[in-house]
Amino acid sequence: MDETSEVIRQRREKARALADQDIELYPNDFKVSHTVDAVKKYIHQRAAAVDNTAMFAMAGRITGLRSFGKATFIHFRDYTGQLQAYIKQDEIGKQAYALFKQFDVGDFIGIKGNVFQTRTGEWTLLAREIRLLCKAIRPLPEKFHGLRDPEKRYRQRYLDLIMNPNVRDIFIQRTRIVQAFRNFLLERGFLEVETPIMQPIPGGAEATPFKTFHDALGMELFLRIAPELYLKRLVIGGFDRVFEINHSFRNEGVSTQHNPEFTMLEFYQAYATYKDLMALTEEMFGFVTQQVLGEMHFTYQGNTIDMTGPWRRLTLKDALSELGGIEPSMLGDRERLLDFARSEGIEIRKTRRVGKILMKLFDVLVEPKLIEPTFVVDYPVEISPLARRSSSDSNMTERFELFIGGREIANGFSELNDPVDQKRRFLDQVADREAGDEEAHYMDEDYVIALEYGMAPTAGEGVGIDRFVMLLTNAASIREVILFPQLKKIGQ
RNA sequence: GGGCCGUUAACUCAGUCGGUAGAGUAUCUGCCUUUUAAGCAGAGAGUCGCGCGUUCGAGUCGCGCACGGCCCA
């Protein structure tokens, strides 16, 4: 591709010249005694009493190089940080220095030496020995502007990570967030499990699945759209508290808010209700925020968000009328709702049920207004086919959704454990599917059989991890929090 | 799926009215032993995303395509 590029050609020649001098280009026998972080800690602890004869064997990638002829300053970086080194011909000898002059920014090096302070006060490794650990053939992007081109940043994320420290920080934050969720649940006795990614019947959500095929079994399989039905089978099996931090897959468009492959946390707790989970959710998100940010509030795209509970709770109906401007008398009236949608310029597919119309209106009119953490509760049965009916109103379910920063972050409910009702709800979904709704749930007979063995009263919840990471890292696009976001293949 | 914007040296970007390609960084050569976007002097480096068209002449204008970004659905 860039094989003809002059810079790369020169680097290849350099590598060949080094090899001709019997220099190993890719050795693996250098032993590191200290990371950058360890050396910095050592210096910090000793303060004025640093032993400048102590030897450190360090390694990393050269990130900067300032040559003064017979002496050179470099910066090198390992995974813990960056340090300056000073390479002097007087210290390492003429021959070794001549060899070092052939190293480039981007190469990996191993240095053995002592620490000292330069005139400007910067602690620096004075090289007694330096050797090449890996020759880089391609030059890194320019040091000052870094790598900006978004397409290159996503396709060659390694360059993005090398060049842009803030990007590196986002992904470290991401890992910390996931670990905080995990620790919170483990602490409360939840069992972390793994359930199938390839499923014969995709269930647990309303979405279009990816299809694949198992040759030996001669069987069509789907990439999961959610782990829900498998996790509830485990609750039936006696794991009263389970969770899975999972990748699920939805065959939809990509955008700043959607990647076809995304990360979800899903957990189930027996003998709990959706109300218990709302309390748990406040505690859990508060814990994660405090752990990761060290405080309970943050700024997302100009809005300050405070995670301190208790959070506002309002019913779907109230949300629609108060924030969506829909008259309460209109809420059950399909035709009036359609008229209203039209007047608001919201397009709605004709076949949609009242519940779906309401959700569509909610998405457009209400969701963007829910900036501070807010629970919306009481969703209609027809759009919640896996949720338990509300005791006070059999058309409603014991369900909540959590909104933060104008986006849905979590969805939870008391689980439907009545197998007869579950079967009826599946059949209802199948009817929708036959009527042309490709996102309707599939019938899962095996799951109904599982329920017939009895599932303890249970509540469960799914959390959109990517979205929450976006909030805590102030990322406008989901691609900024997914290491390798889905992009189109480059044509020949 | 629709709209707008982008794609020029390895990287970040200029490029006027259509007249034959520019800068900084990086690279190469020379000088330089406490610099940190080191410095000074010099040099090399381009399929202007791809294709077709208009034109005497296209990085520039038109059409199509590819990829990407943002917004809308």
Side-chain angles (χ1 to χ4, degrees):
Chain A
M1 191 168 114
D2 314 310
E3 307 312 313
T4 52
S5 145
E6 193 201 25
V7 185
I8 292 169
R9 231 168 28 232
Q10 282 170 342
R11 285 263 182 125
R12 283 192 201 286
E13 275 159 27
K14 254 188 194 178
R16 211 171 299 128
L18 283 165
D20 288 347
Q21 296 163 73
D22 283 333
I23 304 302
E24 232 189 301
L25 298 182
Y26 307 102
N28 68 349
D29 60 332
F30 185 83
K31 299 302 172 204
V32 174
S33 70
H34 289 76
T35 61
V36 168
D37 189 52
V39 167
K40 284 185 172 168
K41 277 194 179 126
Y42 168 86
I43 290 164
H44 184 74
Q45 281 163 6
R46 298 281 184 119
V50 168
D51 175 4
N52 56 12
T53 63
M55 283 292 278
F56 299 94
M58 305 183 70
R61 187 195 289 274
I62 300 176
T63 54
L65 200 147
R66 292 173 295 283
S67 171
F68 292 82
K70 294 180 182 63
T72 302
F73 284 97
I74 64 169
H75 272 108
F76 68 99
R77 193 161 72 204
D78 65 18
Y79 74 108
T80 67
Q82 182 166 281
L83 190 71
Q84 180 169 261
Y86 189 39
I87 293 94
K88 281 167 82 174
Q89 181 171 288
D90 290 354
E91 294 294 342
I92 65 169
K94 201 166 182 176
Q95 209 179 347
Y97 193 79
L99 197 64
F100 161 72
K101 292 285 273 183
Q102 295 170 77
F103 298 175
D104 294 295
V105 171
D107 291 353
F108 283 87
I109 41 126
I111 307 178
K112 288 179 188 167
N114 325 112
V115 289
F116 77 106
Q117 232 172 339
T118 64
R119 237 180 243 163
T120 57
E122 182 168 349
W123 282 99
T124 300
L125 185 67
L126 177 64
R128 303 289 179 186
E129 277 178 61
I130 182 164
R131 44 177 304 215
L132 183 68
L133 298 186
C134 173
K135 185 69 194 162
I137 298 302
R138 289 175 187 264
L140 292 175
E142 181 219 8
K143 61 191 164 192
F144 189 58
H145 294 94
L147 184 66
R148 291 269 183 81
D149 180 356
E151 186 171 357
K152 276 207 179 72
R153 288 186 46 230
Y154 300 149
R155 286 195 198 277
Q156 295 179 277
R157 183 69 91 180
Y158 46 93
L159 291 180
D160 196 23
L161 290 167
I162 293 168
M163 300 309 299
N164 300 322
N166 56 322
V167 170
R168 192 186 143 90
D169 290 345
I170 284 176
F171 288 105
I172 292 171
Q173 289 285 66
R174 181 184 172 112
T175 297
R176 289 201 182 119
I177 290 165
V178 171
Q179 281 173 346
F181 276 114
R182 175 178 282 120
N183 290 340
F184 180 90
L185 291 169
L186 290 175
E187 186 68 25
R188 277 156 190 74
F190 284 79
L191 183 72
E192 183 168 14
V193 296
E194 295 172 276
T195 65
I197 294 170
M198 294 194 291
Q199 304 178 347
I201 302 168
E206 210 164 82
T208 310
F210 286 91
K211 285 180 190 158
T212 185
F213 191 81
H214 191 293
D215 291 337
L217 295 178
M219 179 167 95
E220 184 173 56
L221 288 164
F222 301 88
L223 299 187
R224 68 178 165 201
I225 53 179
E228 176 158 355
L229 299 185
Y230 284 90
L231 289 172
K232 285 195 279 195
R233 283 175 172 97
L234 295 179
V235 176
I236 292 166
F239 291 149
D240 284 350
R241 296 185 177 202
V242 289
F243 75 97
E244 182 169 8
I245 295 167
N246 66 93
H247 271 208
S248 287
F249 307 81
R250 297 186 184 175
N251 206 339
E252 297 156 2
V254 297
S255 73
T256 52
Q257 306 303 320
H258 296 276
N259 195 63
E261 175 173 358
F262 63 101
T263 304
M264 185 168 34
L265 160 65
E266 214 169 275
F267 62 94
Y268 292 83
Q269 179 174 344
Y271 314 108
T273 67
Y274 78 125
K275 286 186 177 165
D276 297 323
L277 287 199
M278 282 193 276
L280 184 82
T281 299
E282 281 174 351
E283 206 187 327
M284 178 167 69
F285 278 81
F287 172 82
V288 173
T289 306
Q290 184 68 42
Q291 282 284 301
V292 174
L293 299 182
E295 53 190 9
M296 287 297 274
H297 54 86
F298 56 87
T299 300
Y300 184 69
Q301 308 290 303
N303 288 310
T304 300
I305 294 170
D306 186 353
M307 297 293 284
T308 310
W311 300 334
R312 186 177 182 197
R313 297 179 188 196
L314 74 169
T315 65
L316 180 64
K317 276 183 182 169
D318 288 347
L320 283 165
S321 55
E322 280 173 32
L323 299 169
I326 302 170
E327 265 180 61
S329 67
M330 205 192 280
L331 290 175
D333 190 330
R334 188 170 179 282
E335 293 311 313
R336 282 181 68 197
L337 285 171
L338 284 172
D339 282 346
F340 179 79
R342 217 168 293 129
S343 73
E344 293 284 322
I346 300 162
E347 205 179 310
I348 287 172
R349 270 182 281 161
K350 252 281 173 324
T351 55
R352 291 200 167 187
R353 301 162 175 244
V354 172
K356 290 207 174 181
I357 298 169
L358 289 177
M359 289 316 292
K360 180 71 195 176
L361 291 170
F362 181 91
D363 286 351
V364 178
L365 300 174
V366 182
E367 190 170 311
K369 294 179 182 166
L370 301 175
I371 304 298
E372 289 286 331
T374 306
F375 287 117
V376 174
V377 298
D378 298 349
Y379 286 74
V381 167
E382 56 173 283
I383 54 165
S384 314
L386 302 168
R388 184 181 200 279
R389 287 180 200 269
S390 162
S391 320
S392 54
D393 180 350
S394 66
N395 290 318
M396 303 300 279
T397 55
E398 294 189 356
R399 175 180 171 192
F400 68 87
E401 289 191 308
L402 169 65
F403 297 87
I404 309 173
R407 301 225 180 81
E408 185 198 333
I409 300 299
N411 174 28
F413 39 84
S414 303
E415 302 298 336
L416 174 59
N417 63 347
D418 172 348
V420 176
D421 194 8
Q422 183 64 77
K423 180 150 192 181
R424 209 182 302 133
R425 304 250 206 119
F426 273 142
L427 287 170
D428 218 29
Q429 289 289 318
V430 169
D432 279 3
R433 174 167 289 279
E434 280 164 0
D437 184 351
E438 288 179 12
E439 295 192 335
H441 290 241
Y442 288 73
M443 166 60 75
D444 192 335
E445 299 274 7
D446 182 73
Y447 176 68
V448 175
I449 290 171
L451 282 184
E452 286 173 348
Y453 284 95
M455 179 168 78
T458 298
E461 175 174 341
V463 175
I465 294 294
D466 308 285
R467 288 183 186 178
F468 191 59
V469 175
M470 286 172 70
L471 288 174
L472 290 197
T473 60
N474 197 20
S477 167
I478 198 169
R479 295 179 200 107
E480 296 298 338
V481 302
I482 291 177
L483 280 166
F484 298 99
Q486 198 62 51
L487 298 179
K488 281 196 183 181
K489 202 159 66 171
I490 309 169
Q492 322 165 343

